[in-house]
Amino acid sequence: MARRREHSREALTELALCAAERLLDEQGIAVLSTRRIAAEIGYSAATLYSVFSSLDDLCWQLNARTLKQLLDELDALGELAPREALKAYALCYVAFAARWPERWSLLFEHRTPETLQVPAWLNESIGRLFSQLELCLGELAPEVSAEELALTARTLWSGVHGVAVLQLRDKLFLPPQGKQEQMLVTLVDYHLDGWRLNRESRT
Amino acid sequence: MARRREHSREALTELALCAAERLLDEQGIAVLSTRRIAAEIGYSAATLYSVFSSLDDLCWQLNARTLKQLLDELDALGELAPREALKAYALCYVAFAARWPERWSLLFEHRTPETLQVPAWLNESIGRLFSQLELCLGELAPEVSAEELALTARTLWSGVHGVAVLQLRDKLFLPPQGKQEQMLVTLVDYHLDGWRLNRESRT
């Protein structure tokens, strides 16, 4: 185990996470194990456990990287009017899922055992995604409560997520294929228009 | 293998499918194999292959049963006005997913190898689900084309599916839990209202 001293703690963490992402991309969630990842980088599983408290911890860190990657892509879309931003986010989200199917799936497929608590920093990254959506929705409807914005963001995003998950599994059952962009734009437009009508009828 | 003659071909098929459903419900998709199913019913895998051409064939037949079960539940909702029917279908669909998570997941997780063709009878059952949605949508908008009805049904249902898949994985990120009914009703209402506005602006 001469290599054990070759890497600092930080470098080893980075090395392991990169190897885990490669494994995930190439072979899927099922093969992800500390033993496999350790073998990929020439360390023992015991050494990996010195930087990750468990496989769950490692998955959380992978998920935080995936979320950061996704948020960076959303940020890169730049300043847009709120409705256009929401459409651009939806298209970007579904394209991201198609490009990184396994990383994206790990975000949803990884189940934290009930005895463990999802770390606060991971929940914060998830919160950042929704904050961005809520910001756009708040610009469209400055009068509504934070609670309604939160619920609207999650309802709208469930729809976008549904398109993403179905297109990834090729289960949109739409001949011809490739209608998902039109579906996403429609989904956002109709939802926002329906929401506006509902707000107008309340006043 | 004295049992081989105990069951007719039909009875053996039924026995195997019931055992497969039990295995699926209790242990998930990952353990589904012809060997395991054969062991459960006291036959050899070779015997199973005399009634199912492959594990894919068996999964297709499981999926057809799940779809029939779902369609029967939708039918049991009875005659409703179209908008109410769509909401009732959405709630029923998500409740079905929660009650039979593994059977429901197999509908989406089972990937047919590219060398095989999904049988026409399975695609027909999927088509029946969408027909029912298109029927409701068509009552709301008799003037629109069959193509638009098909796309609208699939877009709306992707949203419903998104809520189902996220609540199943406990990923709606909504404190407090249990908002999915409200989300589903909102999703259907906003989509239908937005769609109506869009149609009105076209005329």
Side-chain angles (χ1 to χ4, degrees):
Chain A
M1 288 285 117
R3 295 190 59 181
R4 198 176 294 172
R5 282 154 202 250
E6 281 171 30
H7 294 96
S8 68
R9 196 179 156 79
E10 289 68 33
L12 180 59
T13 305
E14 178 67 21
L15 197 67
L17 290 172
C18 287
E21 280 174 346
R22 209 166 46 236
L23 251 180
L24 189 59
D25 290 341
E26 288 167 7
Q27 298 184 54
I29 292 171
V31 303
L32 219 58
S33 71
T34 38
R35 209 158 53 112
R36 276 297 297 272
I37 299 162
E40 289 283 323
I41 59 173
Y43 280 92
S44 69
T47 307
L48 264 198
Y49 280 116
S50 73
V51 289
F52 301 102
S53 64
S54 62
L55 183 59
D56 289 294
D57 178 26
L58 193 147
C59 286
W60 291 329
Q61 297 201 35
L62 284 176
N63 281 344
R65 283 160 74 100
T66 305
L67 278 165
K68 183 172 182 320
Q69 195 185 351
L70 172 62
L71 283 162
D72 286 348
E73 291 195 16
L74 298 184
D75 284 343
L77 295 169
E79 289 283 319
L80 292 163
R83 184 182 282 248
E84 294 320 304
L86 288 167
K87 286 182 197 172
Y89 292 169
L91 293 169
C92 181
Y93 182 81
V94 174
F96 185 90
R99 200 160 65 255
W100 303 106
E102 300 294 340
R103 296 183 195 194
W104 183 79
S105 293
L106 188 69
L107 287 175
F108 303 98
E109 296 302 325
H110 177 249
R111 303 193 203 193
T112 300
E114 283 180 25
T115 49
L116 290 178
Q117 187 103 37
V118 176
W121 50 261
L122 184 57
N123 282 331
E124 272 162 30
S125 334
I126 297 163
R128 263 198 64 209
L129 172 64
F130 284 116
S131 299
Q132 217 148 326
L133 303 173
E134 287 162 24
L135 208 69
C136 295
L137 294 170
E139 282 183 54
L140 291 169
E143 78 285 6
V144 309
S145 67
E147 198 191 345
E148 177 168 342
L149 288 181
L151 191 62
T152 307
R154 281 154 183 83
T155 307
L156 176 59
W157 220 250
S158 294
V160 173
H161 183 78
V163 176
V165 75
L166 289 173
Q167 71 99 35
L168 208 66
R169 296 273 181 271
D170 196 18
K171 303 275 184 188
L172 283 175
F173 301 114
L174 262 186
Q177 301 292 303
K179 282 268 174 46
Q180 68 262 29
E181 294 206 1
Q182 192 186 341
M183 290 174 83
L184 287 167
V185 168
T186 309
L187 200 78
V188 173
D189 267 335
Y190 290 2
H191 201 83
L192 294 180
D193 288 337
W195 186 43
R196 180 171 51 75
L197 265 188
N198 178 277
R199 293 197 318 278
E200 284 168 3
S201 74
R202 274 186 269 167
T203 56
Chain B
M1 290 284 116
R3 293 191 59 183
R4 198 177 294 171
R5 282 154 202 250
E6 282 171 27
H7 294 97
S8 68
R9 199 179 154 80
E10 288 69 33
L12 180 60
T13 305
E14 178 69 21
L15 196 68
L17 290 172
C18 288
E21 281 175 344
R22 210 165 45 236
L23 251 181
L24 189 59
D25 290 340
E26 288 167 8
Q27 299 185 54
I29 292 170
V31 303
L32 219 58
S33 71
T34 37
R35 209 159 52 114
R36 276 297 297 273
I37 299 163
E40 289 283 323
I41 58 172
Y43 279 92
S44 69
T47 308
L48 265 198
Y49 280 117
S50 73
V51 287
F52 301 103
S53 64
S54 62
L55 183 59
D56 290 293
D57 178 26
L58 193 148
C59 286
W60 291 330
Q61 297 203 33
L62 284 177
N63 281 344
R65 281 160 75 100
T66 306
L67 279 165
K68 181 173 184 320
Q69 196 185 351
L70 172 63
L71 284 162
D72 285 347
E73 292 196 15
L74 298 184
D75 283 343
L77 295 169
E79 287 285 319
L80 292 162
R83 184 182 282 249
E84 295 319 304
L86 289 167
K87 287 184 197 173
Y89 291 169
L91 294 169
C92 181
Y93 182 80
V94 174
F96 185 90
R99 201 161 65 252
W100 303 106
E102 300 294 341
R103 295 183 195 193
W104 184 78
S105 294
L106 188 69
L107 286 175
F108 303 97
E109 297 302 324
H110 177 249
R111 302 193 205 194
T112 299
E114 283 179 25
T115 48
L116 290 179
Q117 187 104 36
V118 176
W121 50 262
L122 183 57
N123 282 331
E124 272 162 32
S125 335
I126 298 162
R128 262 198 64 207
L129 172 65
F130 284 115
S131 299
Q132 216 148 328
L133 303 173
E134 287 161 24
L135 208 68
C136 295
L137 295 170
E139 282 183 53
L140 291 168
E143 78 284 7
V144 309
S145 68
E147 198 191 345
E148 178 170 343
L149 288 181
L151 190 63
T152 306
R154 280 153 184 83
T155 307
L156 176 60
W157 220 250
S158 294
V160 172
H161 184 78
V163 175
V165 77
L166 289 174
Q167 71 98 33
L168 209 66
R169 297 273 181 269
D170 197 18
K171 304 276 183 187
L172 282 174
F173 302 114
L174 261 187
Q177 301 292 305
K179 283 266 174 47
Q180 68 262 28
E181 294 205 3
Q182 192 186 340
M183 292 173 82
L184 287 168
V185 168
T186 310
L187 198 79
V188 173
D189 266 335
Y190 290 2
H191 200 83
L192 294 182
D193 287 338
W195 186 43
R196 180 171 51 77
L197 267 186
N198 179 279
R199 294 197 317 276
E200 283 168 4
S201 75
R202 273 186 266 167
T203 55

